[in-house]
Amino acid sequence: MGNSINRILPIDLYHMVSVPELVLERALKIYHVKDGKGEALPSFETGTLVVICTGGSFSCKVNKDDCNIVKGQVLLAAGEGVTSVKSFIETNFSGIVVFVSEEFLINRQRLIIRDITEKEINEAMTMLNLIESQLNTPREIRAKVIESLLRALVIGLQYSVHEERIERDDIPLFFHDLALLISRYHHSPAYFYAEKLGLSSPEFNMKCRQYSQMTAVEWIADYVLLEAKDLLRKTRLRPSQIAIMLGFSNQDTFSRWFRRLTGEFPSEWK
């Protein structure tokens, strides 16, 4: 497994991190900037950065390369790769800057810069208003609600890029829909995904085989394995936490499954 799925993986994956001591006000920062006025941005740690420019420009370095977006553009990047943000007074930047720490939302964000329509900006602003309104709700429910809204915001901002990839890579839309479902439900049976896609189990299996030469069970397992390896490599989460995030009943089940596919236990692989 592995050769086919790497061609099909269409989106960046996001997971909420369940951290008992999470301080949401520290893990999520939303900056509203108008006409170059606003507080200076901090150095970004590991996480997700979203910048929507509605005026002037936003200039910085991303992975040590110069980066500049102007009115009507959006930037999505891994926060730790963004440095040397120019003064907003100097660039007369207006817009929204959102930073989500990995403490709250694990990301696999590639650099994306694209034009954004006025309608998309309005939709993003509505989403951000909803997110900010949730900051005053009881702690036991607000993190999950905000996580869902953030996931919807980021995927929505990536959407046009994914439409272009569908045409360029000639990947059936079926696999994009399947990948989105797996990124949400993770380690679930093939028949569960078949039902979500409106297919019978044989039809689901046939579609997977036609394009990837893999059965549906193999395709799902390979995708979840990529998630598991990514979490083990990029985070400090314990295997027990990763097991829960990926839909396994317990750590032992996850460890046996991981060893069957890789020959190693999660703790050894990491």
Side-chain angles (χ1 to χ4, degrees), residues 63-187:
N63 300 324
K64 299 183 179 179
D65 293 326
D66 291 334
C67 177
N68 186 73
I69 64 168
V70 296
K71 180 179 179 181
Q73 291 187 316
V74 61
L75 162 71
L76 294 99
E80 63 273 23
V82 177
T83 59
S84 304
V85 178
K86 284 190 178 181
S87 163
F88 294 158
I89 296 176
E90 182 181 349
T91 62
N92 200 35
F93 170 73
S94 292
I96 299 287
V97 179
V98 181
F99 174 72
V100 189
S101 168
E102 188 180 56
E103 181 185 16
F104 180 54
L105 201 69
I106 297 173
N107 80 91
R108 285 93 171 175
Q109 182 61 58
R110 298 182 304 274
L111 174 63
I112 292 176
I113 298 174
R114 72 171 182 89
D115 293 339
I116 183 171
T117 65
E118 191 68 31
K119 179 182 178 182
E120 288 177 302
I121 292 175
N122 291 335
E123 289 173 349
M125 294 301 185
T126 299
M127 197 78 70
L128 287 167
N129 288 336
L130 288 171
I131 290 170
E132 290 181 298
S133 73
Q134 290 297 316
L135 293 174
N136 296 319
T137 59
R139 287 179 178 271
E140 59 268 22
I141 64 171
R142 63 176 181 162
K144 188 60 182 176
V145 172
I146 291 173
E147 181 264 342
S148 298
L149 290 169
L150 284 169
R151 186 193 299 263
L153 172 67
V154 173
I155 291 178
L157 291 173
Q158 294 174 336
Y159 183 75
S160 292
V161 175
H162 297 144
E163 285 298 292
E164 293 168 4
R165 290 184 64 194
I166 290 171
E167 296 177 3
R168 183 175 68 248
D169 296 339
D170 194 30
I171 295 172
L173 184 60
F174 161 78
F175 283 104
H176 290 260
D177 293 340
L178 176 56
L180 282 168
L181 286 171
I182 298 175
S183 72
R184 180 177 180 184
Y185 297 106
H186 314 296
H187 184 65

Side-chain angles (χ1 to χ4, degrees), residues 2-14:
N3 292 332
S4 297
I5 196 169
N6 283 324
R7 294 185 58 238
I8 299 169
L9 193 66
I11 62 171
D12 298 301
L13 308 176
Y14 287 78

Side-chain angles (χ1 to χ4, degrees), residues 200-211:
S200 67
S201 292
E203 288 173 332
F204 179 40
N205 200 53
M206 181 182 68
K207 278 182 172 289
C208 287
R209 279 189 175 279
Q210 279 180 340
Y211 187 80

